[in-house]
Amino acid sequence: MIEARGLTRRYGDFAAVRDVSFSVADGEILGILGPNGAGKTTTIRMITGFLPPTAGGVWINGKSLREDPLAARRQLGYLPESVALYPEMRLEEYLAYRARLAGLGRGEARGAIDRAVDSCLLGEKRRQVIGQLSKGYRQRVALAAAILHGPQVLVLDEPTVGLDPKQIIAIRELIRDLGRERTLLLSTHILPEVEQLCQRVLIIDRGRLVAEGTPEELRAQSASATEVRIAFEGEVPDAGDALGAVDGVDAVLPGDGHLRLRCASGADPRAEIFRLAVERGWVLVELSQRRASLEDVFVRLTRGQGTTQDPDGADAELDNSKGTPGDGGSEALGPNDPGPNDPGPGPEDPVDRSGGAAEER
């Protein structure tokens, strides 16, 4: 349903995204991970047609965003990281306006609005002015607008940001439901969210695609695939040397009242450690195995997240406070700001002039 080929985006000599290619199958939920400034949001803006790529292209269900943008975008729903809404409109009025922009007839729009409001748990707020809603409810309004026209593809950029725990659970359940009927592309900083929702994961760092696979495949590729934690009753001064000689143990690391044994990928030395403890009279109080988490993989692959490379390969510091183009809050462009070759926002890209969310009422 989504195919990206060689996506590249440059700002002068700075490459925010470099030669990123991937595809998303029909009905798949694909997660995109990366540190701030990695290029996630720039990639998403190119996929949704809000930002033209310097090189490469995007196809939505076989329709080229460059050659047939209207046909491609009709099949696409987009929830940006920073939600742009008309704060002076009531929720129901805003959705009716968005339905007209999507080309829905009056009767069709009424049913679509009811379904979107129910799906996003907005029933009690549908007559409320958007400017009076909290940030969490505004996020749900934006999600309702994204699914209003029944798109086959949904692109969600940080969909649970700013929500309370109950709302996060509800939105995740909604995303699961939507994923049964649509193709989803999900960008998030919340690693457990990726593991819970996504069948496959992309990791982007410094504008490049550095890893791709299911969460389990990425964990299996980690250099520290297995770790054994062991603790004894009382002092065992010679334990480190003895445990380091056990087959499959690569390193023995001290901890607070315990030892951590870094093991070769696929190794499980617990049975041998138990036999060794019995032979030497050690009293075990803990012997547990820990496999690498998605967080471990993410940290290992993005250790250079404080820098990016210029087009010639030299490292340059990213100063997020200056808005270096890259990703999320660190980009010079806002979520609906035009790129250098963009004509500017159209009527479908309303600007949020509220200056911040009001208290929830």
Side-chain angles (χ1 to χ4, degrees):
M1 290 295 287
I2 303 176
E3 185 174 0
R5 301 178 193 165
L7 284 182
T8 299
R9 177 68 191 191
R10 291 186 176 274
Y11 297 86
D13 292 335
F14 174 79
V17 175
R18 310 183 195 190
D19 195 26
V20 170
S21 299
F22 62 89
S23 61
V24 191
D26 187 15
E28 183 180 25
I29 303 180
L30 177 71
I32 297 183
L33 288 174
N36 288 331
K40 300 188 310 298
T41 296
T42 299
T43 300
I44 283 178
R45 290 176 187 165
M46 289 189 285
I47 290 170
T48 54
F50 279 79
L51 192 64
T54 306
V58 177
W59 287 259
I60 307 294
N61 198 18
K63 304 292 184 181
S64 170
L65 266 175
R66 186 185 297 274
E67 298 174 2
D68 197 356
L70 291 180
R73 294 182 70 172
R74 284 193 188 102
Q75 302 180 64
L76 190 70
Y78 177 37
L79 175 67
E81 180 181 2
S82 299
V83 179
L85 302 168
Y86 284 120
E88 68 274 12
M89 297 180 75
R90 296 185 185 277
L91 188 159
E92 196 171 42
E93 294 170 340
Y94 173 70
L95 292 181
Y97 166 67
R98 289 292 300 267
R100 290 197 299 274
L101 290 179
L104 301 182
R106 187 182 297 272
E108 188 181 7
R110 189 177 300 113
I113 291 170
D114 289 342
R115 289 190 296 272
V117 166
D118 290 343
S119 295
C120 297
L121 309 177
L122 290 167
E124 62 183 21
K125 304 291 183 180
R126 66 186 299 161
R127 297 296 301 160
Q128 195 159 342
V129 175
I130 291 174
Q132 297 175 344
L133 296 175
S134 68
K135 182 177 180 181
Y137 274 107
R138 289 186 180 203
Q139 192 81 342
R140 286 197 268 176
V141 172
L143 183 55
I147 66 175
L148 194 60
H149 60 292
Q152 291 301 303
V153 177
L154 273 180
V155 179
L156 310 178
D157 194 1
E158 303 288 349
T160 58
V161 66
L163 305 184
D164 64 42
K166 288 183 64 177
Q167 292 173 333
I168 287 174
I169 293 171
I171 292 298
R172 286 178 182 171
E173 288 299 323
L174 173 59
I175 291 172
R176 286 193 188 94
D177 291 340
L178 293 173
R180 296 187 181 100
E181 303 173 355
R182 299 172 175 86
T183 299
L184 265 68
L185 183 61
L186 171 67
S187 171
T188 180
H189 287 93
I190 305 173
L191 296 176
E193 191 163 84
V194 170
E195 295 196 270
Q196 291 176 29
L197 296 175
C198 301
Q199 288 104 357
R200 197 159 53 90
V201 181
L202 307 178
I203 298 180
I204 295 178
D205 185 38
R206 290 177 284 183
R208 296 186 185 276
L209 182 61
V210 296
E212 179 179 358
T214 67
E216 187 58 38
E217 287 171 346
L218 293 177
R219 284 192 293 266
Q221 294 169 11
S222 174
S224 56
T226 306
E227 187 175 276
V228 170
R229 179 184 170 111
I230 184 169
F232 304 103
E233 183 179 85
E235 294 291 331
V236 184
D238 60 337
D241 292 338
L243 293 171
V246 173
D247 288 342
V249 175
D250 291 338
V252 180
L253 307 175
D256 185 13
H258 65 274
L259 296 173
R260 292 186 297 117
L261 311 183
R262 186 165 295 164
C263 305
S265 181
D268 185 0
R270 287 177 295 174
E272 180 63 27
I273 291 171
F274 180 80
R275 284 191 290 268
L276 181 63
V278 172
E279 290 174 3
R280 303 212 175 185
W282 300 338
V283 179
L284 287 170
V285 295
E286 181 179 356
L287 180 60
S288 59
Q289 185 183 62
R290 175 185 176 273
R291 293 193 178 276
S293 67
L294 192 57
E295 181 177 2
D296 297 327
V297 178
F298 178 81
V299 170
R300 181 176 64 85
L301 292 172
T302 60
R303 282 174 181 164
Q305 61 182 296
T307 62
T308 188
Q309 291 184 337
D310 66 24
D312 297 324
D315 285 346
E317 282 294 323
L318 277 179
D319 185 351
N320 290 341
S321 65
K322 296 180 182 178
T324 302
D327 183 34
S330 63
E331 294 197 16
L333 298 177
N336 292 303
D337 293 338
N341 301 318
D342 290 342
E348 71 276 19
D349 304 323
V351 179
D352 187 349
R353 301 181 294 275
S354 65
E359 289 294 326
E360 182 177 345
R361 299 183 180 179

